[in-house]
Amino acid sequence: MTEEELNSYRLTSLEEPTDEMLAAIMHEAAEEVRKESERIDKWQMEQIREEAHKAKQRWGVE
């Protein structure tokens, strides 16, 4: 299946997706979720580090 064929399919279409189309759609969705999850995990760790640094400064611990 070409990327053009995959991109032309809409879930609101009256025709059912083929198994191949559905697998490709689910693969792309999973990849996007994985990337977003990694981005959020990195952001959260940075927030934790910043807060820990601020707390250490408040308490005079370094």
Side-chain angles (χ1 to χ4, degrees), residues 30-41:
E31 187 66 24
E32 287 179 29
V33 169
R34 185 190 61 76
K35 287 178 183 177
E36 183 66 7
S37 178
E38 286 177 1
R39 186 190 69 76
I40 291 170
D41 287 348

Side-chain angles (χ1 to χ4, degrees), residues 12-25:
T12 56
S13 174
L14 294 178
E15 66 182 67
E16 292 289 323
T18 64
D19 288 345
E20 185 181 14
M21 281 180 165
L22 193 53
I25 291 167

Side-chain angles (χ1 to χ4, degrees), residues 52-62:
H53 180 72
K54 289 177 188 176
K56 285 179 180 181
Q57 286 180 326
R58 279 194 301 269
W59 290 94
V61 178
E62 286 282 336

